[in-house]
Amino acid sequence: MPGRPPDPAVVPLVEMRDVTKRFPGVVANDHVSFDVRAGEVHTLFGENGAGKSTLMRVLYGLYRPDEGEILVDGQPVAISSPSSAIHHGIGMIHQHFMLVDTLTVAENVALGSTTTRGPGNDLEHVSARIHELADRYGLSVDPQALIWQLSVGERQRVEIIKALYRDVALLILDEPTAVLAPQEVKDLFAVLRQMTKDGRGLVFISHKVSEVLELSDRITVLRNGKVVGTVPAAEASRSLLVEMMVGHQLATVAHQAKGVAGSERLVVTDLRVRGDRDTEVVRGCSFTAGSGEVVGIAGVAGNGQRELAEAIAGLRTPVGGTIRLKDIEVAGRGPAVVRSAGLGYVPEERMRDGVVADFSVGENLMLVANGSDPYTRFGFLRIRAIRRHCQELVAAFDVKTPNLDTPARSLSGGNIQKLIMARELSGRPQVLLVAQPTRGIDVSASRYIHQRLIEQRDSGTAIVIISYDLDEIMALSDRILVMYEGAIIGSADPRTASREEIGMMMAGIRPGDHVVDGDQRARPTDRQAGSVASA
């Protein structure tokens, strides 16, 4: 349960007064006032592009405010850089990870140390401390692992450990639960509550209303860069927060799970895939997806989902098994063959793998179809036809952009995801593979994308969704498969299964397993361990 509202007479740990931040043509923060007190969780809530992350980047020293002031413990301060913020006891875990891919976990944690010698930069000391934090908070990670070899979930854990290592007084968390299983969210919330009991203040940014209501003490809603209002969590409701966020109530996405799928469009048989460390991370997976069906693959980050998706998309060569798209064998034949066989692919990492950040919106929309009719003639691009096609996609998928020439990096996460969906669905795929469809996306954009996926299913497309968000999996899927340690260890019908049942499988406990001291885990050691028949 959320705690009581803080005493207004108490001096805040951090206070932002009338902060304004402008970019060319945009006022991202318009005279925003916001404060955090010791021992509370103060949530920032709002749509993508509302100004939440910008405000926190100002507080963390990544941006300088054009107007307003920041006070720490009641005293005005100038925060000109992240090192200055850390000096004032402010840490931040970013939605898009601030890690150096070519360095190890320990080296990333050590970066930014206030000393140039001694234990602060002794990597053995850092590694030992990482092990202590990992053991204490259940954030399993190898200090010697290179960042580029880690899954999204593992990178998130590194960011959390990096902040905990600095023992900050105030911690900003931007979408920290986006890649966590339900049990991990509960564990994280227990850690965060302990941090507030210890006197730390937390700024929590999330688009998951249930989490916001569960964890927060106070909730401040931003819309179009302005504060709509601040409410105690005890007085807030889902409908109130959504209405404050968008200015009106949102319609519910109607979805009824189907009992029977159509003809098989995707057949994966005994698939085995090696990861970046050359160890087998997908271990004998078998499943099917039929026309007019959504198959959801649930699991905690780092259990082979990324490698499975890349193998199906032709980006990673399997070491065994087969992948058939409408009777065409595509395993190991590359993305061009996979796409021509009828696969559309929305990757896990939008900015890294889904778009070319410096390309324009229009260029990103045409990455796939730029060499096909009716967009070329005699080897030359038909610019008018291309721009007309792009404008139609932007309108059809509600991509909010100033124009087609805007760089993709300037769009919000939700609009980048809409852009990718527009591009992939414009090719009329037989099978659509979507990884993390709404990670880090606000409620309004999430509902839009969910509705698009359901419409696509109803049009006959076979859809495979890989998501770490169990609520999303249960809301969209006609059939749920659970992946653990590289294998599919169970299946569930979303119409009858409970979150607890699926959550147990995500923790490695198969249906029917006898649990001894809470530690009976599935150990997929043979080919049958990874295969679940798809009825």
Side-chain angles (χ1 to χ4, degrees), residues 384-395:
R384 288 184 181 177
I386 288 173
R387 291 189 71 85
R388 183 167 56 249
H389 172 69
C390 291
Q391 287 166 349
E392 289 171 355
L393 290 178
V394 164

Side-chain angles (χ1 to χ4, degrees), residues 39 64 79 183 190 235 258 276 285 288 314 323 327 340 350:
R64 294 195 179 188
I79 299 178
Q183 290 88 347
E235 299 174 10
K258 293 183 176 181
D276 295 330
C285 281
T288 66
I323 304 169
D327 298 323
S340 66
R350 294 188 290 269

Side-chain angles (χ1 to χ4, degrees), residues 75-247:
Q75 300 299 315
V77 297
I79 299 178
S80 58
S81 67
S83 61
S84 174
I86 293 169
H87 173 73
H88 289 290
I90 301 169
M92 183 171 183
I93 299 172
H94 301 265
Q95 179 180 340
H96 299 295
F97 309 130
M98 300 293 184
L99 299 171
V100 181
D101 284 353
T102 55
L103 299 183
T104 67
V105 170
E107 289 167 337
N108 270 275
V109 172
L111 284 175
S113 172
T114 55
T115 63
T116 58
R117 65 183 67 189
N121 277 332
D122 179 346
L123 291 182
E124 290 185 6
H125 172 86
V126 173
S127 296
R129 181 63 177 149
I130 289 172
H131 280 303
E132 291 175 11
L133 292 169
D135 290 342
R136 179 178 176 185
Y137 297 114
L139 300 167
S140 177
V141 68
D142 178 6
Q144 306 311 315
L146 293 167
I147 296 298
W148 68 270
Q149 295 176 321
L150 302 182
S151 69
V152 173
E154 289 168 327
R155 295 183 193 198
Q156 178 74 288
R157 293 172 211 162
V158 175
E159 288 280 21
I160 293 171
I161 286 175
K162 198 165 103 176
L164 292 171
Y165 181 85
R166 285 160 173 75
D167 195 25
V168 296
L170 182 140
L171 180 60
I172 305 161
L173 302 107
D174 194 351
E175 301 288 347
T177 66
V179 296
L180 301 181
Q183 290 88 347
E184 289 183 311
V185 172
K186 291 180 181 178
D187 292 341
L188 175 63
F189 281 9
V191 171
L192 299 182
R193 290 189 183 103
Q194 185 59 52
M195 291 174 68
T196 59
K197 287 180 182 178
D198 293 340
R200 290 182 174 88
L202 302 178
V203 178
F204 185 65
I205 301 175
S206 176
H207 297 109
K208 299 178 181 179
V209 181
S210 59
E211 291 182 357
V212 169
L213 292 171
E214 179 182 351
L215 183 66
S216 308
D217 296 297
R218 288 188 294 158
I219 304 164
T220 291
V221 181
L222 296 183
R223 187 168 73 230
N224 298 326
K226 297 181 179 180
V227 173
V228 176
T230 298
V231 295
E235 299 174 10
S237 66
R238 180 183 181 88
S239 59
L240 172 65
L241 293 180
V242 171
E243 187 168 358
M244 290 175 71
M245 180 183 75
V246 299

Side-chain angles (χ1 to χ4, degrees), residues 29-49:
N29 295 136
D30 189 354
H31 295 91
V32 174
S33 294
F34 178 82
D35 66 83
V36 186
R37 293 171 169 83
E40 77 160 337
V41 179
H42 193 159
T43 291
L44 275 175
F45 189 70
E47 290 186 279
N48 287 110

Side-chain angles (χ1 to χ4, degrees), residues 231-419:
V231 295
E235 299 174 10
S237 66
R238 180 183 181 88
S239 59
L240 172 65
L241 293 180
V242 171
E243 187 168 358
M244 290 175 71
M245 180 183 75
V246 299
H248 57 83
Q249 290 289 340
L250 293 175
T252 302
V253 175
H255 170 57
Q256 180 65 46
K258 293 183 176 181
V260 180
S263 60
E264 291 180 346
R265 294 282 181 83
L266 172 67
V267 180
V268 176
T269 306
D270 196 24
L271 191 67
R272 294 177 176 272
V273 183
R274 291 188 179 275
D276 295 330
R277 301 186 195 180
D278 202 33
T279 58
E280 198 168 272
V281 293
V282 177
R283 307 172 65 185
C285 281
S286 297
F287 69 93
T288 66
S291 62
E293 175 186 39
V294 176
V295 176
I297 299 180
V300 179
N303 277 279
Q305 300 97 315
R306 176 169 63 92
E307 292 82 1
L308 173 64
E310 290 175 354
I312 294 172
L315 300 172
R316 190 179 290 265
T317 302
V319 295
T322 61
I323 304 169
R324 287 192 298 114
L325 284 166
K326 289 201 71 178
D327 298 323
I328 301 173
E329 176 56 43
V330 298
R333 298 183 63 187
V337 171
V338 171
R339 184 172 289 278
S340 66
L343 182 83
Y345 178 46
V346 179
E348 177 175 339
E349 288 278 16
R350 294 188 290 269
M351 291 300 293
R352 188 183 71 184
D353 302 325
V355 296
V356 180
D358 292 327
F359 279 20
S360 70
V361 169
E363 288 167 336
N364 273 286
L365 285 169
M366 296 304 299
L367 283 177
V368 174
N370 60 73
S372 61
D373 291 335
Y375 310 117
T376 60
R377 187 175 184 183
F378 305 123
F380 292 94
L381 294 174
R382 302 179 66 186
I383 302 301
R384 288 184 181 177
I386 288 173
R387 291 189 71 85
R388 183 167 56 249
H389 172 69
C390 291
Q391 287 166 349
E392 289 171 355
L393 290 178
V394 164
F397 285 81
D398 193 32
V399 180
K400 295 177 181 176
T401 177
N403 52 61
L404 294 178
D405 300 317
T406 300
R409 69 166 65 254
S410 300
L411 302 186
S412 69
N415 283 301
I416 290 173
Q417 192 74 329
K418 289 179 186 177
L419 184 157

